[in-house]
Each structure stands twice: as C-alpha cells, then as structure tokens.
Amino acid sequence: MSAVIESHHGDHHHGPAKGFSRWLYTTNHKDIGSLYLWFSFIMLFVGGAMAMVIRAELFEPGSQIVSPEFYNQMVTNHGLIMVFGVIMPAFVGLANWMIPMQIGAPDMALPRLNNLSFWILPAAFGVLLSTFLMEGGAPNFGWTFYAPLSTEYAPPTVTFFIFSVHIMGASSIMGSINIITTILNMRAPGMTLMKMPLFVWSWLITAYLLIAVMPVLAGAVTMMLMDIHFGTSFFSAAGGGDPVLFQHVFWFFGHPEVYIMILPAFGIVSHIIETFSRKPIFGYSSMVYAIASIALLSFVVWAHHMFTVGMPIAGELFFMYSTMLIAIPTGVKVFNWLSTMFRGSLTFETPMLFAIAFVALFTIGGLSGLMLAIAPADFQYHDTYFVVAHFHYVLVPGALFSIVAAVYYWLPKWTGYMYDEVLGKTHFWLSFISVNLTFFPMHFVGLAGMPRRIPDYAMQFADYNMIVSVGAFLFGLSQLLFLFNVLKCVYYGKSATAEVWEGAKGKGLEWTVDSPAPYHTFETSPDLTKPQTNS
C-alpha cells in the first residue's frame, strides 16, 4: 500500500521511490521507526563525544584541555542532545515500529504527519549544532537554560537555540497526536484498552504528557525570545519581572518531561521480563494504573527542583510530600517486575540482562530521588554531583538500557536475523560495569560538596574523578560494540527462526508475550471476539 502511495510523490511515476527519496518521502511506520532509531544512535555518539570532553577535563584537577567557556558549551549541549536528541527520538522510533504491530493496525493513523515529525528533527539539531561555528559560540548556560543567564548574559546564538527547541517541540507534539490517534482508533476488533500490551499503554500516557507540556516549554523559550529581542522583562527583575518565574515555567515542563523519558521504558521492560520469565506480567491492571498515577502526579511536583529559591515552608512541604508520593506507584512497578520473575522459568539472554540491570539500577536512581525530595536535606544536595549521579542513574541504566534492551529484543523481528549473543552479553557486562564505575562515585563527591557544571575542583575529589572518567571512556567505547553487533546482525546475521528464543526445557518462546489475553504472534491478527484460552 505504502509503495502505491509513494509512487505518486513528485516525479516517482514508476513504482516506489528508490535510494534517498525512499527515506525522504516514506510514510511507512517501520521505515520511520528505523529513521528515528538511527538518528538517535548518531546523536548518542555526538552527545557522548561531548561527555568525553567533560570527563577528560575533569580527569584531574586544574585546567586541562578546554577553556571554561567551551566546557560550559559542552555541558549545555551534551544535556540538550541526550534528552531531546537521543532518549526521546529512540522511544518514538520504538513506538513507530511496535505500536501498529502490537495493536494489529496496518500503519500509524497519520502517515504523512509521521514523516514530517521525523524529518524536522535533523533540521532542529542541525540548527543547534551549527551554533558551534558561529560568532559568540554555542549555548553555554546549561541544558536547563535558566534566565537571566540565558537572556541577558547569553551569546547571540541563543536565538538559534530557541528556534531549535521550538522545532523539537513541534516534532514531539505531532508525533504524540499520531500515537494517540492510532491507539484510540486503530486497535484490532475486540482489543479493549485493558487488553493492550503495556508498551502501548505506556506510550498512550506518555503522548498525553507530551501534548500537555511541550507548549509550556514553547512558552518559556518564547518569553526568552521576547526578553532578548523585544524589550519585555518576563525574567528580568530590573524591569519588574522575576527570574524565579522562569524556573517555575521551565520545571512545570521539565518534571513531566523526565517521566516522558522513563514511562516507555517501563512498558519495554515489562514485555522483556514477562518473556524471559515465561509467564504473564504480574498485576497487569496495577501496572496500567501505576503508569497513569505517575503521569498525573508528575504535574504537581515541579518545584522540588527549586527548594533553594526561598519558597514558603508550606510550599516546601507540599512539594516534598507530593514528590514522595510518586515513589508508591513506582514501587508497585518494581514489585510487579520482581513478582513476575519470581518462580518463573528464567533465562538470561541479552535483553533480559539489560532489563534486570534496569530494575536494579533504576531503583538506585529512584532512591536517590527520594533523598532529593526531602526539602531540608536538598539544601545540601542541590547543584552538587549528587544530583548528577541521581538523574544519570535514571537516564542511563534506566532509559538508555531499556532502549538497548528493546533493540536486542525486537531486532530479530525487525530484520529477520539474529544478533550475536556472545557480543550482546559482552556489550552488556562492559556497559553494566562501566556505567556503575562512572556514576556511583558521583554520589560520594556530591555529598562531600563538589559542585556540578564547574570545570575545576578541589584536590580531595581527584581520585574519584579519575575513576569516573575512566568509567565514562569505557562506557563510551562499549557502545561501539553495540553498533558493530547491530550492523553484523543486519548484514551477516543468521536467519531468525519463528521462535527465536530457545526456552527452558526446550520449549520455544513467542516473539512477545503481551497483554494478559490474547497471546499471539504478530503474523496474524487474532480474532479477539471469541473467548480466549490461556495456553
């Protein structure tokens, strides 16, 4: 069907488009999913290179290889690229690939919109990265771009940064509209909402979050633009504005955003754990309610990022307790994953290793988040490396590991070929060891008072920083192994059998064990109108 549609684009009157045109004009959800995934993979190495510059500078105290100014540009762009250019596009790519297949739909509801929402992303990051070549240099005010630093003291390239953020936001909103429309309108007959796979559920909720908060981000950067070019004073105290207003607006977007970056991971990990435990997920409905609760609560906790601005004690209390409340549905999910594995027929293929590491290390990130939620204690942690350790535990062994797990898990389905299991396990162990080597010692230097975003540090932090830098370089190198494994699978992989995973006691395993009933492969849409029997 897509080939027929594509043949009418431009000059392509003779069959489907070939070469670059095929990718430029494609409306096929699998093609677009692949584009998103490759784009985020490329950006992972771009953002990763920036992290390597940061860690090389911090390898020992004193000034090493870059100026403080360039260091700040690295910190800012590393954060922006990893959040908006790696984690989010990768999850959208997985959504594009898997949601139509998991709900029995032929494609996404709005295929042309789907194409547009991808292709404006390379443009957005092209604009952002081009600032490195401009006079004044790239943005240098941190990925949270706090005003008035980002308005009154910023390089002239801040305008390009604002434009870039607008384009990324538009991409997210269009992608989300597409996902919601697809899920609500195109499910197979009989697939009620409470029979949907958990990955589909996690994305339905994430898409609503994105539509709710992306306009808030657009508002924040538009107010910045007005302050810079049109003489307004939204964030300037001298003109009657308020710098703290910026923080409120930014974090009202920013806190739901951090859940946008983890909810799809919950869906992925749920599928992988049930598959390799060979039993349905424990507490399916409680998993759905937990995701929904986390999403709703994410809107009322934003000011926990701002305990140090001098808010009233009542405000501190409200944001402290509401933040701690999020730990409950999150704990429910961890409990359900552990219960799914409990007494299951476990095997430990690469996707399962990444999923188990996710549960363990994401929990560490969650617990340090609970520490940061305690208002009086947060004055000690705020703006130290403890915060860096916390959110990297959630985002690297959390979000990134879940994306890697999903690629290993679904690659045989996508390509028809099997990846190299030995290489996959090697990649896992190198990543697992190096990620902890990199981010665990940050808790220690943070509690001891080492500030974040500073290119130099006191002598007592030297040993830990050296360990962290070695871990970071090892982690970066390990991802080249992942790239090699994916390419090897695509070009030289052995054909995947209908039941890829050899199960315990020789029993094979389906592509995915999904929502409660029905169990099915994706080759045929099941007739869900008949009563289901659980085999």
Side-chain angles (χ1 to χ4, degrees):
M1 182 67 194
S2 63
V4 177
I5 296 166
E6 279 168 33
S7 65
H8 295 291
H9 298 175
D11 299 322
H12 306 290
H13 293 298
H14 310 289
K18 293 277 185 285
F20 182 64
S21 304
R22 172 203 157 174
W23 295 101
L24 191 61
Y25 295 124
T26 182
T27 50
N28 178 310
H29 72 100
K30 298 173 183 178
D31 282 355
I32 294 169
S34 301
L35 284 169
Y36 269 110
L37 288 166
W38 278 112
F39 173 76
S40 82
F41 210 6
I42 293 163
M43 295 313 286
L44 178 70
F45 288 110
V46 175
M50 294 176 178
M52 298 301 97
V53 173
I54 294 168
R55 284 323 314 176
E57 179 57 53
L58 295 177
F59 187 73
E60 53 187 27
S63 191
Q64 313 304 318
I65 55 168
V66 295
S67 66
E69 171 65 19
F70 189 73
Y71 180 87
N72 288 345
Q73 294 177 12
M74 288 292 100
V75 169
T76 302
N77 287 277
H78 164 72
L80 287 167
I81 285 169
M82 291 306 198
V83 168
F84 296 107
V86 178
I87 302 297
M88 293 172 69
F91 278 140
V92 177
L94 293 168
N96 262 300
W97 251 107
M98 298 312 300
I99 287 173
M101 294 201 282
Q102 289 191 325
I103 64 174
D107 203 304
M108 297 293 279
L110 306 160
R112 306 293 294 251
L113 191 73
N114 208 8
N115 174 294
L116 181 64
S117 46
F118 171 75
W119 276 111
I120 61 175
L121 273 185
F125 285 92
V127 169
L128 184 66
L129 289 169
S130 70
T131 56
F132 278 101
L133 306 173
M134 295 179 193
E135 200 175 347
N140 59 353
F141 32 66
W143 86 270
T144 53
F145 45 97
Y146 275 12
L149 185 60
S150 59
T151 52
E152 293 178 39
Y153 306 100
T157 53
V158 67
T159 311
F160 290 90
F161 155 79
I162 290 169
F163 182 45
S164 171
V165 168
H166 268 304
I167 304 173
M168 295 172 207
S171 168
S172 287
I173 289 170
M174 291 190 294
S176 301
I177 289 169
N178 210 343
I179 286 167
I180 291 170
T181 312
T182 305
I183 296 172
L184 295 186
N185 292 326
M186 297 177 69
R187 299 191 306 284
M191 181 180 272
T192 59
L193 289 176
M194 292 308 279
K195 284 185 176 174
M196 293 195 312
L198 284 171
F199 179 66
V200 179
W201 255 118
S202 70
W203 247 115
L204 179 63
I205 291 167
T206 302
Y208 276 110
L209 278 182
L210 275 165
I211 287 177
V213 301
M214 276 300 165
V216 179
L217 177 65
V221 294
T222 304
M223 286 191 276
M224 281 173 61
L225 190 75
M226 304 290 281
D227 276 11
I228 294 164
H229 294 293
F230 300 105
T232 57
S233 298
F234 289 109
F235 307 131
S236 165
D242 183 3
V244 177
L245 171 68
F246 178 88
Q247 297 190 31
H248 278 293
V249 178
F250 179 84
W251 286 115
F252 190 76
F253 146 79
H255 201 79
E257 165 66 25
V258 301
Y259 290 100
I260 286 162
M261 289 191 287
I262 203 68
L263 292 183
F266 292 165
I268 290 163
V269 166
S270 301
H271 288 321
I272 293 173
I273 286 177
E274 63 182 353
T275 298
F276 294 98
S277 305
R278 284 153 185 87
K279 47 191 274 219
I281 195 80
F282 179 89
Y284 170 88
S285 53
S286 66
M287 289 298 247
V288 173
Y289 298 137
I291 299 173
S293 314
I294 291 167
L296 287 171
L297 284 169
S298 76
F299 284 104
V300 292
V301 297
W302 77 90
H304 65 210
H305 296 268
M306 303 165 51
F307 281 142
T308 56
V309 300
M311 67 175 79
I313 199 82
E316 285 185 24
L317 281 172
F318 171 82
F319 287 106
M320 174 166 84
Y321 290 135
S322 60
T323 304
M324 292 168 126
L325 204 57
I326 288 196
I328 297 169
T330 314
V332 166
K333 300 192 79 64
V334 173
F335 171 80
N336 283 7
W337 289 323
L338 295 176
S339 304
T340 305
M341 289 190 277
F342 182 65
R343 297 188 67 180
S345 278
L346 273 72
T347 52
F348 300 100
E349 284 86 356
T350 309
M352 186 60 158
L353 291 174
F354 275 102
I356 293 171
F358 170 95
V359 175
L361 302 181
F362 172 77
T363 303
I364 293 175
L367 291 172
S368 60
L370 206 52
M371 293 171 66
L372 290 162
I374 300 165
D378 186 71
F379 284 84
Q380 170 76 8
Y381 310 135
H382 189 84
D383 253 339
T384 70
Y385 258 81
F386 187 85
V387 179
V388 181
H390 154 70
F391 69 72
H392 280 87
Y393 259 89
V394 177
L395 283 175
V396 184
L400 189 65
F401 270 27
S402 80
I403 290 161
V404 173
V407 170
Y408 279 122
Y409 181 55
W410 281 315
L411 202 57
K413 170 125 201 85
W414 296 341
T415 62
Y417 301 112
M418 191 58 191
Y419 63 86
D420 185 321
E421 188 67 62
V422 176
L423 271 181
K425 288 194 163 125
T426 311
H427 171 224
F428 168 76
W429 285 110
L430 284 172
S431 296
F432 179 81
I433 292 162
S434 59
V435 85
N436 286 295
L437 208 57
T438 306
F439 299 117
F440 207 79
M442 287 182 183
H443 293 100
F444 309 145
V445 292
L447 289 177
M450 180 174 154
R452 60 192 275 206
R453 294 180 174 176
I454 308 288
D456 191 9
Y457 52 85
M459 191 60 93
Q460 70 259 32
F461 304 128
D463 292 350
Y464 277 134
N465 271 292
M466 198 171 279
I467 293 167
V468 168
S469 287
V470 169
F473 279 101
L474 181 62
F475 184 77
L477 286 169
S478 308
Q479 305 324 304
L480 292 170
L481 198 61
F482 181 39
L483 177 62
F484 177 71
N485 203 356
V486 171
L487 292 173
K488 184 180 176 210
C489 169
V490 173
Y491 290 109
Y492 304 108
K494 292 194 177 75
S495 282
T497 52
E499 296 175 329
V500 175
W501 309 110
E502 282 306 312
K505 308 186 184 76
K507 280 194 297 201
L509 192 57
E510 286 192 340
W511 285 107
T512 169
V513 189
D514 261 320
S515 41
Y519 296 154
H520 60 80
T521 63
F522 294 134
E523 303 315 316
T524 54
S525 291
D527 181 6
L528 301 184
T529 51
K530 296 187 185 124
Q532 294 298 314
T533 53
N534 285 358
S535 47

mmCIF file with all atom_site columns, all heavy atoms in Angstrom, residues 98-113:
data_model
loop_
_atom_site.group_PDB
_atom_site.id
_atom_site.type_symbol
_atom_site.label_atom_id
_atom_site.label_alt_id
_atom_site.label_comp_id
_atom_site.label_asym_id
_atom_site.label_entity_id
_atom_site.label_seq_id
_atom_site.pdbx_PDB_ins_code
_atom_site.Cartn_x
_atom_site.Cartn_y
_atom_site.Cartn_z
_atom_site.occupancy
_atom_site.B_iso_or_equiv
_atom_site.pdbx_formal_charge
_atom_site.auth_seq_id
_atom_site.auth_comp_id
_atom_site.auth_asym_id
_atom_site.auth_atom_id
_atom_site.pdbx_PDB_model_num
ATOM 1   N N   . MET A 1 98  ? 6.648  -0.509 16.854 1.00 0.00 ? 98  MET A N   1
ATOM 2   C CA  . MET A 1 98  ? 5.924  -1.559 17.562 1.00 0.00 ? 98  MET A CA  1
ATOM 3   C C   . MET A 1 98  ? 4.431  -1.315 17.768 1.00 0.00 ? 98  MET A C   1
ATOM 4   O O   . MET A 1 98  ? 3.652  -2.261 17.805 1.00 0.00 ? 98  MET A O   1
ATOM 5   C CB  . MET A 1 98  ? 6.582  -1.827 18.921 1.00 0.00 ? 98  MET A CB  1
ATOM 6   C CG  . MET A 1 98  ? 8.012  -2.316 18.822 1.00 0.00 ? 98  MET A CG  1
ATOM 7   S SD  . MET A 1 98  ? 8.257  -3.669 17.637 1.00 0.00 ? 98  MET A SD  1
ATOM 8   C CE  . MET A 1 98  ? 7.187  -4.946 18.306 1.00 0.00 ? 98  MET A CE  1
ATOM 9   N N   . ILE A 1 99  ? 4.011  -0.054 17.923 1.00 0.00 ? 99  ILE A N   1
ATOM 10  C CA  . ILE A 1 99  ? 2.600  0.164  18.283 1.00 0.00 ? 99  ILE A CA  1
ATOM 11  C C   . ILE A 1 99  ? 1.641  -0.389 17.221 1.00 0.00 ? 99  ILE A C   1
ATOM 12  O O   . ILE A 1 99  ? 0.722  -1.138 17.563 1.00 0.00 ? 99  ILE A O   1
ATOM 13  C CB  . ILE A 1 99  ? 2.321  1.643  18.634 1.00 0.00 ? 99  ILE A CB  1
ATOM 14  C CG1 . ILE A 1 99  ? 2.936  1.965  19.996 1.00 0.00 ? 99  ILE A CG1 1
ATOM 15  C CG2 . ILE A 1 99  ? 0.812  1.921  18.667 1.00 0.00 ? 99  ILE A CG2 1
ATOM 16  C CD1 . ILE A 1 99  ? 2.869  3.437  20.388 1.00 0.00 ? 99  ILE A CD1 1
ATOM 17  N N   . PRO A 1 100 ? 1.837  -0.078 15.922 1.00 0.00 ? 100 PRO A N   1
ATOM 18  C CA  . PRO A 1 100 ? 0.899  -0.655 14.945 1.00 0.00 ? 100 PRO A CA  1
ATOM 19  C C   . PRO A 1 100 ? 0.884  -2.187 15.002 1.00 0.00 ? 100 PRO A C   1
ATOM 20  O O   . PRO A 1 100 ? -0.189 -2.809 14.934 1.00 0.00 ? 100 PRO A O   1
ATOM 21  C CB  . PRO A 1 100 ? 1.434  -0.157 13.595 1.00 0.00 ? 100 PRO A CB  1
ATOM 22  C CG  . PRO A 1 100 ? 2.150  1.107  13.927 1.00 0.00 ? 100 PRO A CG  1
ATOM 23  C CD  . PRO A 1 100 ? 2.785  0.856  15.272 1.00 0.00 ? 100 PRO A CD  1
ATOM 24  N N   . MET A 1 101 ? 2.061  -2.800 15.147 1.00 0.00 ? 101 MET A N   1
ATOM 25  C CA  . MET A 1 101 ? 2.107  -4.265 15.194 1.00 0.00 ? 101 MET A CA  1
ATOM 26  C C   . MET A 1 101 ? 1.457  -4.798 16.461 1.00 0.00 ? 101 MET A C   1
ATOM 27  O O   . MET A 1 101 ? 0.791  -5.839 16.433 1.00 0.00 ? 101 MET A O   1
ATOM 28  C CB  . MET A 1 101 ? 3.560  -4.739 15.095 1.00 0.00 ? 101 MET A CB  1
ATOM 29  C CG  . MET A 1 101 ? 4.175  -4.408 13.751 1.00 0.00 ? 101 MET A CG  1
ATOM 30  S SD  . MET A 1 101 ? 5.592  -5.441 13.374 1.00 0.00 ? 101 MET A SD  1
ATOM 31  C CE  . MET A 1 101 ? 6.858  -4.712 14.357 1.00 0.00 ? 101 MET A CE  1
ATOM 32  N N   . GLN A 1 102 ? 1.632  -4.098 17.572 1.00 0.00 ? 102 GLN A N   1
ATOM 33  C CA  . GLN A 1 102 ? 1.091  -4.629 18.830 1.00 0.00 ? 102 GLN A CA  1
ATOM 34  C C   . GLN A 1 102 ? -0.418 -4.447 18.941 1.00 0.00 ? 102 GLN A C   1
ATOM 35  O O   . GLN A 1 102 ? -1.057 -5.154 19.720 1.00 0.00 ? 102 GLN A O   1
ATOM 36  C CB  . GLN A 1 102 ? 1.790  -3.965 20.018 1.00 0.00 ? 102 GLN A CB  1
ATOM 37  C CG  . GLN A 1 102 ? 3.242  -4.426 20.160 1.00 0.00 ? 102 GLN A CG  1
ATOM 38  C CD  . GLN A 1 102 ? 3.862  -3.982 21.474 1.00 0.00 ? 102 GLN A CD  1
ATOM 39  O OE1 . GLN A 1 102 ? 3.574  -2.910 21.987 1.00 0.00 ? 102 GLN A OE1 1
ATOM 40  N NE2 . GLN A 1 102 ? 4.711  -4.823 22.030 1.00 0.00 ? 102 GLN A NE2 1
ATOM 41  N N   . ILE A 1 103 ? -0.981 -3.510 18.195 1.00 0.00 ? 103 ILE A N   1
ATOM 42  C CA  . ILE A 1 103 ? -2.444 -3.335 18.273 1.00 0.00 ? 103 ILE A CA  1
ATOM 43  C C   . ILE A 1 103 ? -3.136 -3.879 17.024 1.00 0.00 ? 103 ILE A C   1
ATOM 44  O O   . ILE A 1 103 ? -4.352 -3.772 16.896 1.00 0.00 ? 103 ILE A O   1
ATOM 45  C CB  . ILE A 1 103 ? -2.835 -1.857 18.486 1.00 0.00 ? 103 ILE A CB  1
ATOM 46  C CG1 . ILE A 1 103 ? -2.431 -0.991 17.292 1.00 0.00 ? 103 ILE A CG1 1
ATOM 47  C CG2 . ILE A 1 103 ? -2.267 -1.336 19.798 1.00 0.00 ? 103 ILE A CG2 1
ATOM 48  C CD1 . ILE A 1 103 ? -2.922 0.448  17.378 1.00 0.00 ? 103 ILE A CD1 1
ATOM 49  N N   . GLY A 1 104 ? -2.353 -4.462 16.091 1.00 0.00 ? 104 GLY A N   1
ATOM 50  C CA  . GLY A 1 104 ? -2.950 -5.034 14.888 1.00 0.00 ? 104 GLY A CA  1
ATOM 51  C C   . GLY A 1 104 ? -3.391 -3.991 13.876 1.00 0.00 ? 104 GLY A C   1
ATOM 52  O O   . GLY A 1 104 ? -4.372 -4.197 13.162 1.00 0.00 ? 104 GLY A O   1
ATOM 53  N N   . ALA A 1 105 ? -2.681 -2.858 13.823 1.00 0.00 ? 105 ALA A N   1
ATOM 54  C CA  . ALA A 1 105 ? -3.020 -1.812 12.848 1.00 0.00 ? 105 ALA A CA  1
ATOM 55  C C   . ALA A 1 105 ? -2.083 -1.911 11.649 1.00 0.00 ? 105 ALA A C   1
ATOM 56  O O   . ALA A 1 105 ? -0.939 -2.335 11.796 1.00 0.00 ? 105 ALA A O   1
ATOM 57  C CB  . ALA A 1 105 ? -2.892 -0.439 13.500 1.00 0.00 ? 105 ALA A CB  1
ATOM 58  N N   . PRO A 1 106 ? -2.551 -1.497 10.446 1.00 0.00 ? 106 PRO A N   1
ATOM 59  C CA  . PRO A 1 106 ? -1.685 -1.588 9.265  1.00 0.00 ? 106 PRO A CA  1
ATOM 60  C C   . PRO A 1 106 ? -0.555 -0.565 9.276  1.00 0.00 ? 106 PRO A C   1
ATOM 61  O O   . PRO A 1 106 ? 0.479  -0.776 8.652  1.00 0.00 ? 106 PRO A O   1
ATOM 62  C CB  . PRO A 1 106 ? -2.642 -1.318 8.096  1.00 0.00 ? 106 PRO A CB  1
ATOM 63  C CG  . PRO A 1 106 ? -3.795 -0.604 8.695  1.00 0.00 ? 106 PRO A CG  1
ATOM 64  C CD  . PRO A 1 106 ? -3.919 -1.065 10.114 1.00 0.00 ? 106 PRO A CD  1
ATOM 65  N N   . ASP A 1 107 ? -0.744 0.572  9.923  1.00 0.00 ? 107 ASP A N   1
ATOM 66  C CA  . ASP A 1 107 ? 0.282  1.619  9.970  1.00 0.00 ? 107 ASP A CA  1
ATOM 67  C C   . ASP A 1 107 ? -0.162 2.625  11.027 1.00 0.00 ? 107 ASP A C   1
ATOM 68  O O   . ASP A 1 107 ? -1.157 2.404  11.713 1.00 0.00 ? 107 ASP A O   1
ATOM 69  C CB  . ASP A 1 107 ? 0.412  2.308  8.585  1.00 0.00 ? 107 ASP A CB  1
ATOM 70  C CG  . ASP A 1 107 ? 1.785  2.981  8.414  1.00 0.00 ? 107 ASP A CG  1
ATOM 71  O OD1 . ASP A 1 107 ? 2.141  3.818  9.262  1.00 0.00 ? 107 ASP A OD1 1
ATOM 72  O OD2 . ASP A 1 107 ? 2.485  2.656  7.438  1.00 0.00 ? 107 ASP A OD2 1
ATOM 73  N N   . MET A 1 108 ? 0.546  3.723  11.131 1.00 0.00 ? 108 MET A N   1
ATOM 74  C CA  . MET A 1 108 ? 0.107  4.800  12.006 1.00 0.00 ? 108 MET A CA  1
ATOM 75  C C   . MET A 1 108 ? -1.082 5.515  11.369 1.00 0.00 ? 108 MET A C   1
ATOM 76  O O   . MET A 1 108 ? -1.279 5.471  10.146 1.00 0.00 ? 108 MET A O   1
ATOM 77  C CB  . MET A 1 108 ? 1.243  5.799  12.249 1.00 0.00 ? 108 MET A CB  1
ATOM 78  C CG  . MET A 1 108 ? 2.440  5.195  12.954 1.00 0.00 ? 108 MET A CG  1
ATOM 79  S SD  . MET A 1 108 ? 2.096  4.702  14.653 1.00 0.00 ? 108 MET A SD  1
ATOM 80  C CE  . MET A 1 108 ? 2.233  6.273  15.489 1.00 0.00 ? 108 MET A CE  1
ATOM 81  N N   . ALA A 1 109 ? -1.872 6.207  12.175 1.00 0.00 ? 109 ALA A N   1
ATOM 82  C CA  . ALA A 1 109 ? -3.089 6.849  11.686 1.00 0.00 ? 109 ALA A CA  1
ATOM 83  C C   . ALA A 1 109 ? -2.792 7.975  10.707 1.00 0.00 ? 109 ALA A C   1
ATOM 84  O O   . ALA A 1 109 ? -3.557 8.212  9.776  1.00 0.00 ? 109 ALA A O   1
ATOM 85  C CB  . ALA A 1 109 ? -3.907 7.386  12.862 1.00 0.00 ? 109 ALA A CB  1
ATOM 86  N N   . LEU A 1 110 ? -1.693 8.698  10.918 1.00 0.00 ? 110 LEU A N   1
ATOM 87  C CA  . LEU A 1 110 ? -1.399 9.892  10.119 1.00 0.00 ? 110 LEU A CA  1
ATOM 88  C C   . LEU A 1 110 ? 0.000  9.770  9.530  1.00 0.00 ? 110 LEU A C   1
ATOM 89  O O   . LEU A 1 110 ? 0.954  10.365 10.037 1.00 0.00 ? 110 LEU A O   1
ATOM 90  C CB  . LEU A 1 110 ? -1.501 11.140 11.014 1.00 0.00 ? 110 LEU A CB  1
ATOM 91  C CG  . LEU A 1 110 ? -2.835 11.270 11.774 1.00 0.00 ? 110 LEU A CG  1
ATOM 92  C CD1 . LEU A 1 110 ? -2.679 12.190 12.964 1.00 0.00 ? 110 LEU A CD1 1
ATOM 93  C CD2 . LEU A 1 110 ? -3.936 11.750 10.850 1.00 0.00 ? 110 LEU A CD2 1
ATOM 94  N N   . PRO A 1 111 ? 0.139  8.996  8.460  1.00 0.00 ? 111 PRO A N   1
ATOM 95  C CA  . PRO A 1 111 ? 1.482  8.644  7.969  1.00 0.00 ? 111 PRO A CA  1
ATOM 96  C C   . PRO A 1 111 ? 2.293  9.838  7.474  1.00 0.00 ? 111 PRO A C   1
ATOM 97  O O   . PRO A 1 111 ? 3.502  9.894  7.677  1.00 0.00 ? 111 PRO A O   1
ATOM 98  C CB  . PRO A 1 111 ? 1.211  7.656  6.819  1.00 0.00 ? 111 PRO A CB  1
ATOM 99  C CG  . PRO A 1 111 ? -0.221 7.270  6.928  1.00 0.00 ? 111 PRO A CG  1
ATOM 100 C CD  . PRO A 1 111 ? -0.922 8.354  7.679  1.00 0.00 ? 111 PRO A CD  1
ATOM 101 N N   . ARG A 1 112 ? 1.628  10.822 6.816  1.00 0.00 ? 112 ARG A N   1
ATOM 102 C CA  . ARG A 1 112 ? 2.385  11.965 6.296  1.00 0.00 ? 112 ARG A CA  1
ATOM 103 C C   . ARG A 1 112 ? 2.887  12.834 7.443  1.00 0.00 ? 112 ARG A C   1
ATOM 104 O O   . ARG A 1 112 ? 3.992  13.383 7.407  1.00 0.00 ? 112 ARG A O   1
ATOM 105 C CB  . ARG A 1 112 ? 1.510  12.805 5.353  1.00 0.00 ? 112 ARG A CB  1
ATOM 106 C CG  . ARG A 1 112 ? 0.876  12.018 4.215  1.00 0.00 ? 112 ARG A CG  1
ATOM 107 C CD  . ARG A 1 112 ? 1.928  11.527 3.237  1.00 0.00 ? 112 ARG A CD  1
ATOM 108 N NE  . ARG A 1 112 ? 2.556  12.634 2.543  1.00 0.00 ? 112 ARG A NE  1
ATOM 109 C CZ  . ARG A 1 112 ? 2.374  12.932 1.272  1.00 0.00 ? 112 ARG A CZ  1
ATOM 110 N NH1 . ARG A 1 112 ? 1.591  12.174 0.528  1.00 0.00 ? 112 ARG A NH1 1
ATOM 111 N NH2 . ARG A 1 112 ? 2.977  13.962 0.730  1.00 0.00 ? 112 ARG A NH2 1
ATOM 112 N N   . LEU A 1 113 ? 2.039  12.995 8.451  1.00 0.00 ? 113 LEU A N   1
ATOM 113 C CA  . LEU A 1 113 ? 2.450  13.748 9.649  1.00 0.00 ? 113 LEU A CA  1
ATOM 114 C C   . LEU A 1 113 ? 3.635  13.059 10.310 1.00 0.00 ? 113 LEU A C   1
ATOM 115 O O   . LEU A 1 113 ? 4.553  13.699 10.828 1.00 0.00 ? 113 LEU A O   1
ATOM 116 C CB  . LEU A 1 113 ? 1.276  13.842 10.624 1.00 0.00 ? 113 LEU A CB  1
ATOM 117 C CG  . LEU A 1 113 ? 1.452  14.806 11.806 1.00 0.00 ? 113 LEU A CG  1
ATOM 118 C CD1 . LEU A 1 113 ? 1.355  16.239 11.314 1.00 0.00 ? 113 LEU A CD1 1
ATOM 119 C CD2 . LEU A 1 113 ? 0.401  14.547 12.867 1.00 0.00 ? 113 LEU A CD2 1
#
